Amino acid sequence: MVNAFFQNWTTQIRKGILEFCILGAIRGGQLYGYEIVKRLRDIDGLLISEGTIYPILSRFKTEGLVTTSLVESNEGPARKYYQLTPAGEQMLRMMNGSWQKIIDGVEALNKEPR
């Protein structure tokens, strides 16, 4: 029971912050999909797959948060690179602000004596 509850809880956390992490990974440059996956896999506990991020990236493009460009590659087919738009940068700033408020509130809860 405890293990199942904990696994569900961690799954929900990962789902909730995945979009935030994808935008953060792209910030400051152009990355192709697999580079984004590699950056996210470096986050202990995130546990993502390639199939998870591509639908999100597609939605980000539809929502105007990223632009894409195809770049020829010497290592195989052309790669689709993603870059944040000004709207994507603004969304990331908003998410960062909200995330910081959550962190501060959770830390305060865990520090308060009962």
Side-chain angles (χ1 to χ4, degrees):
M1 176 72 169
V2 170
N3 191 35
F5 179 88
F6 182 75
Q7 285 191 325
N8 182 58
W9 178 77
T10 57
T11 297
Q12 294 306 313
I13 288 175
R14 285 192 299 265
K15 285 181 182 178
I17 65 169
L18 185 56
E19 292 172 345
F20 177 45
C21 291
I22 292 171
L23 290 176
I26 300 170
R27 181 191 63 224
Q30 288 188 338
L31 293 177
Y32 63 95
Y34 188 65
E35 287 178 313
I36 298 168
V37 170
K38 288 191 305 187
R39 285 191 179 189
L40 297 178
R41 283 185 179 160
D42 288 341
I43 300 172
D44 190 31
L46 196 54
L47 304 175
I48 64 109
S49 68
E50 289 177 57
T52 305
I53 69 157
Y54 289 108
I56 295 170
L57 289 167
S58 178
R59 188 166 41 80
F60 284 173
K61 183 175 182 190
T62 300
E63 293 175 3
L65 302 178
V66 299
T67 58
T68 60
S69 58
L70 280 178
V71 177
E72 293 299 321
S73 170
N74 294 334
E75 301 173 12
R79 293 178 173 162
K80 184 184 286 189
Y81 281 80
Y82 298 87
Q83 183 170 6
L84 291 184
T85 62
E89 294 279 355
Q90 180 181 9
M91 180 61 65
L92 182 57
R93 282 191 301 275
M94 290 170 42
M95 289 176 156
N96 269 311
S98 181
W99 179 248
Q100 192 57 56
K101 288 177 185 176
I102 292 168
I103 290 171
D104 294 344
V106 169
E107 287 178 351
L109 282 175
N110 286 316
K111 289 180 183 177
E112 290 180 8
R114 298 282 170 178

